Amino acid sequence: MSDTFTWGAATGVGSMPGGDAREAAKTVTGSFDGPREGMPYLAELPARGPGADMIGRTAGLLVDVYARVEPSGWRVGDRPGRDTKRARAWLGEDLDALEEFTQGYEGPLKVQAVGPWTLAAALELRNGEAALSDPGACRDLAGSLAEGLREHLADVRRRVPGAQVVLQLDEPSLIAVLRGQVKTASEYRTHRAVDRQVVEDTLRAVLAVQGEGPTVVHSCAPDVPFALLRRAGAHAISFDASLLTERDDETIGEAVEGGTKLFAGVVPGVGGRLSDPAGSVMGVRTLWRRLGLNPGSLAESVVVTPSCGLAGASPAYARAVLAHCVKAARSLADNPE
């Protein structure tokens, strides 16, 4: 990744409320005043229904693998049906809206997709079991995802030629996969834990579609495996800061010193009253002191984000959260102590 790349001081995780693609694109592009202050992103609108949800949206990106909605969730099918076509149509609508509101834009621009392990845990094979149950299916799924992402990233670059495209993989189920906590279809048993080296190698292969471009892995679950994600090639790791414990300190300190960017989810994604911006990042300042890190490196190392996606928020609250993230990031830069 280029040393001159500017991440932006704040961004969102990915999802937004409602079903209006133009309104969402207007919000995520208008919330950040220039690339140094924040990073706009391709909004996801799961309220539209199946195909706009995170699994369906990513299933629509797959190459030569098709999925349909069953009562139990998304299941692999033989051909692209209406569910796949709907997912692709909504993605096209979102891309059209993003293109409209990024005319002349130059700077970082983030796109999100479900990572290979959360996809394998959620997507059912024809027998009703998760793809996670079959190592060969996991390999095929990861390969299909990588090819689909390569095409998707190329499309975004064509539409927004001034963008430095950032790829984010969402892996909320990663810890459950590593610990053997993903339930079988019967829900009486769990799938066997996947070997950590296999998990790492698969993530590395999918992240590699970005070439030298910047990558992020997001997980809003506890015990984010910082070291594994760094070894897999993630340039940044996105997490819910409220779930950190002191046992994460060592790996976080190593990540910062190794140049990994931290996407710190410090602003509540739903409801509640927003604190003052300085208060929102107090925990990050406290972490820095506990680790003995140079306060001056805070603004360089941290991107401020909501704790998770904003799909469950009201449109007004979602706008307020993104604006608050920008103000909180400014507070970190102006008063790192």
Side-chain angles (χ1 to χ4, degrees):
M1 188 181 69
S2 170
D3 292 335
T4 60
F5 177 75
T6 301
W7 289 90
T11 191
V13 172
S15 66
M16 293 290 287
D20 188 329
R22 291 187 74 256
E23 185 60 32
K26 183 179 179 181
T27 298
V28 299
T29 56
S31 296
F32 309 109
D33 186 18
R36 288 198 172 275
E37 199 156 82
M39 175 163 53
Y41 54 97
L42 177 61
E44 302 163 350
L45 302 173
R48 291 181 296 197
D53 61 296
M54 62 186 294
I55 299 300
R57 185 179 181 89
T58 299
L61 291 173
L62 298 175
V63 173
D64 295 332
V65 174
Y66 311 108
R68 65 178 185 271
V69 178
E70 297 286 342
S72 54
W74 284 88
R75 182 173 296 183
V76 171
D78 296 322
R79 60 184 66 83
R82 64 182 181 186
D83 297 323
T84 299
K85 292 173 182 174
R86 184 168 54 223
R88 291 175 177 173
W90 272 330
L91 177 59
E93 185 179 305
D94 295 337
L95 285 165
D96 289 345
L98 181 72
E99 184 177 1
E100 177 184 348
F101 287 98
T102 51
Q103 294 296 309
Y105 174 77
E106 295 184 355
L109 176 67
K110 183 164 67 72
V111 299
Q112 308 82 215
V114 173
W117 293 109
T118 295
L119 194 62
L123 192 59
E124 298 173 357
L125 300 176
R126 290 175 180 82
N127 64 4
E129 286 294 350
L132 191 64
S133 64
D134 183 336
C138 289
R139 285 193 297 273
D140 291 346
L141 197 57
S144 174
L145 175 62
E147 190 58 38
L149 284 173
R150 191 174 285 111
E151 294 176 4
H152 179 48
L153 293 168
D155 185 24
V156 174
R157 291 185 180 106
R158 280 193 299 271
R159 289 169 177 267
V160 194
Q164 295 171 299
V165 180
V166 177
L167 171 63
Q168 175 180 305
L169 295 182
D170 293 323
E171 284 283 14
S173 299
L174 184 60
I175 287 296
V177 167
L178 288 166
R179 292 180 176 172
Q181 295 172 337
V182 177
K183 289 185 176 181
T184 60
S186 70
E187 298 197 345
Y188 291 123
R189 296 186 300 110
T190 57
H191 294 288
R192 185 179 303 172
V194 180
D195 181 83
R196 294 181 76 86
Q197 192 60 54
V198 173
V199 169
E200 181 183 323
D201 291 346
T202 302
L203 280 168
R204 182 182 299 109
V206 176
L207 289 169
V209 302
Q210 259 286 68
E212 296 299 311
T215 57
V216 188
V217 177
H218 167 73
S219 177
C220 51
D223 300 323
V224 175
F226 287 90
L228 184 153
L229 296 177
R230 290 179 61 223
R231 291 194 303 271
H235 298 111
I237 299 171
S238 173
F239 54 92
D240 180 345
S242 71
L243 300 178
L244 294 180
T245 66
E246 291 194 16
R247 68 173 178 265
D248 296 309
D249 282 5
E250 185 177 347
T251 54
I252 291 176
E254 290 172 354
V256 172
E257 290 175 347
T260 302
K261 203 83 168 180
L262 302 182
F263 280 42
V266 297
V267 182
V270 289
R273 190 170 59 85
L274 295 172
S275 71
D276 67 291
S280 293
V281 288
M282 186 59 69
V284 180
R285 291 192 179 96
T286 301
L287 172 65
W288 240 244
R289 284 196 295 271
R290 201 164 66 228
L291 295 175
L293 296 170
N294 175 14
S297 70
L298 255 174
E300 299 170 9
S301 302
V302 174
V303 174
V304 176
T305 77
S307 57
C308 209
L310 298 173
S314 69
Y317 185 77
R319 287 191 296 271
V321 165
L322 294 180
H324 191 88
C325 288
V326 171
K327 292 172 186 172
R330 198 176 297 143
S331 170
L332 269 188
D334 293 345
N335 302 294
E337 300 284 355

